[in-house]
Amino acid sequence: MKSIAFITLALAASFTGEAQTTQKFSAGKVNEYGLNYTLPNTVIDITLEAEKTVRTPGEFFRYAKKYLGEEPITAPSTSYELTSVVINPRAVTNPDESYLVQFKAGSTPFMILDENNSPLSVNTEKVIALDPVTLPVARAAEPTILESPAAKQAVTAEMLQSPSSAKRAELAAARIYELRENRSEILAGSAENMPADGKAMQLVLDNLAAQEAALTAMFLGTTQTSTEVTTVTVTPGKTNPRKVISRLSMTDGFVGPDDLSGVPVYFDLAVTEQGKLPVNEKGEEKRFPKGGLAYRIPGKANVKVTYDGKERAARDIDVAQYGVVFGLDPSLFTDKKAPSFVTFSPLTGAVVEIGPADAR
């Protein structure tokens, strides 16, 4: 379960770090001292991130071993690797769980509701915030060194005019070694035209290195990486058989769960605890108080995401729909001498804290 903390109404945060929308409702004559609200259900967002790698051979890859003594990329390829999985429980509105709490006539209690019309607190404007979730963001591939200005500088007129690939490769290799020699002379202080100062020297050295990298890429090839992100939402049910929530194709990235071109991403949910009604000293279940303030006693579940035979993420979470609904006596909040306050979990509608209102 996410850690929780008190924050003021104005600074309430949502599960993704955005401002939480809240509303304040007061009991009074206009609503006959009754307030309506809805208890939430729990859904689970599974955010998947994959890194895409594109490898492209260089123009002179056939000559890389001869001139540079290195193994080049010899064929174009695209591959994907699952790099992160984030499990994030989230509250959604549940129209089947609407309630009315009836307060004593003449009293002035108030309730804070969220955007789902779910209760966050009674008799206090301080509400509970769940820790913001950091989700991966898709990242585009950066241009290769061959798309840089340095690549144009590195290509000589003789290279451009030569019709022979073998000759162009020979000239490119010669230019690489010439650039290396120029850099060595500058570092040794023996170059004919030395840079005026340290800053100018660094600019020249950086330019020489970029030109060498561009020419080398013409032999060894280039590698570009980017990331793709997708989010799948799962609603826990009465039964939770293992299910494929997405697939990752080695050539096309994330594809649908029914696309057999991809390796399956599995979702498993096991209920670990069912919510139970409170009991009295005789061990008998307590009755819902008349006109009571309904809240949830949630259940618990363990969630796992598996890919390629390995567990990639797991989390124990509270789940509203595996719980039961009970109620608080509304007189707690209308006592003239010592009215109470209560705060609820925005994820499940469970009671987090209850006590005298003057303490808040």
Side-chain angles (χ1 to χ4, degrees), residues 60-185:
F60 308 132
F61 76 91
R62 292 183 179 85
Y63 308 98
K65 192 71 174 176
K66 176 180 179 181
Y67 290 118
L68 302 184
E70 297 185 49
E71 294 294 337
I73 297 170
T74 58
S77 67
T78 300
S79 62
Y80 286 83
E81 179 183 359
L82 187 67
T83 51
S84 73
V85 178
V86 179
I87 299 172
N88 182 40
R90 175 170 55 87
V92 294
T93 188
N94 180 5
D96 295 330
E97 292 284 359
S98 294
Y99 296 91
L100 169 67
V101 57
Q102 194 69 47
F103 295 105
K104 182 180 179 180
S107 61
T108 57
F110 64 90
M111 181 181 291
I112 305 297
L113 301 179
D114 67 11
E115 64 274 17
N116 293 325
N117 202 47
S118 296
L120 296 176
S121 66
V122 176
N123 283 351
T124 177
E125 293 193 2
K126 291 185 177 180
V127 297
I128 300 297
L130 303 180
D131 286 341
V133 176
T134 302
L135 297 176
V137 178
R139 171 177 52 83
E142 295 184 0
T144 70
I145 187 66
L146 293 178
E147 299 171 89
S148 69
K152 294 181 180 180
Q153 287 182 288
V155 177
T156 64
E158 190 176 2
M159 289 171 61
L160 289 172
Q161 294 167 3
S162 175
S164 168
S165 176
K167 181 61 176 178
R168 291 198 301 275
E170 180 183 351
L171 293 171
R175 180 62 177 155
I176 289 174
Y177 291 110
E178 180 184 345
L179 291 169
R180 291 177 180 175
E181 183 177 353
N182 290 343
R183 183 170 63 248
S184 296
E185 289 177 351

Side-chain angles (χ1 to χ4, degrees), residues 2 15 41-48 85-92 133 135 230-237 240 243 245 266-271 299-305 313-322 347-348:
K2 297 181 182 179
F15 306 138
N41 265 359
T42 304
V43 297
I44 306 168
D45 290 336
I46 309 297
T47 300
L48 309 170
V85 178
V86 179
I87 299 172
N88 182 40
R90 175 170 55 87
V92 294
V133 176
L135 297 176
T230 186
T231 298
V232 181
T233 300
V234 179
T235 301
N240 295 278
K243 64 185 298 183
I245 56 173
Y266 289 104
F267 174 88
D268 293 279
L269 184 149
V271 180
K300 298 180 182 295
N302 176 261
V303 175
K304 294 180 181 179
V305 177
R315 184 172 179 182
D316 293 316
I317 63 173
D318 288 348
V319 180
Q321 49 266 48
Y322 295 146
L347 181 61
T348 64

Side-chain angles (χ1 to χ4, degrees), residues 255-321:
V255 295
D258 297 326
D259 189 334
L260 300 183
S261 68
V263 179
V265 180
Y266 289 104
F267 174 88
D268 293 279
L269 184 149
V271 180
T272 56
E273 183 180 324
Q274 296 278 1
K276 297 180 181 180
L277 291 171
V279 297
N280 58 25
E281 57 275 5
K282 296 181 180 180
E284 301 169 336
E285 290 184 351
K286 292 183 178 181
R287 292 185 178 184
F288 193 97
K290 184 179 179 180
L293 174 62
Y295 68 93
R296 184 89 65 174
I297 302 173
K300 298 180 182 295
N302 176 261
V303 175
K304 294 180 181 179
V305 177
T306 306
Y307 172 78
D308 198 21
K310 298 178 181 178
E311 182 182 294
R312 297 305 179 97
R315 184 172 179 182
D316 293 316
I317 63 173
D318 288 348
V319 180
Q321 49 266 48

